[in-house]
Amino acid sequence: MPNSAYIGIGSNLGSPLANCQQALTHFENHPEIQVTACSSFYKTQPVGVTEQGWFVNAVAKILTDLEPLPLLELLLGIEKAMGRTRDKKWGPRIVDLDLLLYEDRIIKIPRLQIPHPEMNRRRFVLAPLSELASGTIHPVANKTIQQLLSELPENEKVIKVHTAT
């Protein structure tokens, strides 16, 4: 039986919205992934390194038979195929694909942490994720995605720019 997972999608180079949509197409064309939903797309302030262009972010819900580590490898392969280079932490990128949640699993190994360790502090993740999974319980924080979103300060700008079709 397939497992559900949530993938964060982001871009701030080239045409960020088109890059995010291209990443979704990669998911849709992969035989071991079924995209069941995609959030709206949001224009978001950069976090960490703030001297760069704003991002476009979204979240996809998928079903997959891939286990978490092979799924991560697939996401990294899509990033590479789309031209991502890892030059600077939190720097500009053509595409960024993050494995946010995988069922209710908690995984903490050097190569992979699930749930994503930064997600409960990032409005650009929680706003689109709440569209798809507002009542889902974060397995570490033991709060719903909506609760985590409502607890964030309002200082991070996240603006809906395109509703998913």
Side-chain angles (χ1 to χ4, degrees):
M1 174 176 283
N3 296 294
S4 67
Y6 292 90
I7 310 297
I9 306 166
S11 173
N12 75 336
L13 291 177
S15 178
L17 178 59
N19 294 338
C20 292
Q21 291 169 326
Q22 182 183 353
L24 271 173
T25 300
H26 278 278
F27 299 162
E28 291 165 348
N29 291 337
H30 195 280
E32 294 181 276
I33 292 179
Q34 178 188 353
V35 177
T36 61
C38 184
S39 72
S40 300
F41 293 88
Y42 292 79
K43 186 174 180 181
T44 64
Q45 276 181 297
V47 173
V49 177
T50 56
E51 299 299 315
Q52 60 180 316
W54 281 41
F55 282 80
V56 170
N57 290 95
V59 171
K61 180 179 182 182
I62 66 165
L63 293 176
T64 184
D65 288 322
L66 293 172
E67 286 297 310
L69 209 45
L71 179 57
L72 174 66
E73 293 300 328
L74 173 67
L75 298 177
L76 294 173
I78 292 170
E79 287 181 349
K80 187 174 182 180
M82 289 182 63
R84 169 133 189 217
T85 57
R86 293 180 180 270
D87 301 324
K88 181 178 185 181
K89 182 174 177 140
W90 293 333
R93 60 205 80 153
I94 191 94
V95 69
D96 185 29
L97 302 174
D98 290 325
L99 180 49
L100 303 173
L101 296 168
Y102 188 100
E103 294 290 332
D104 59 357
R105 292 197 198 174
I106 299 171
I107 299 172
K108 193 168 186 174
I109 58 175
R111 186 116 172 92
L112 175 64
Q113 290 187 51
I114 299 174
H116 191 285
E118 301 290 328
M119 68 178 272
N120 58 337
R121 293 185 291 275
R122 293 179 170 169
R123 184 173 297 278
F124 69 84
V125 171
L126 293 176
L129 181 58
S130 71
E131 285 186 25
L132 305 179
S134 64
T136 296
I137 303 289
H138 185 288
V140 173
N142 202 29
K143 296 180 179 181
T144 67
I145 299 304
Q146 186 59 47
Q147 285 174 310
L148 293 171
L149 178 60
S150 69
E151 292 173 359
L152 287 179
E154 294 288 333
N155 57 344
E156 188 182 329
K157 298 280 188 251
V158 175
I159 304 158
K160 190 183 294 189
V161 293
H162 183 35
T163 303
T165 53

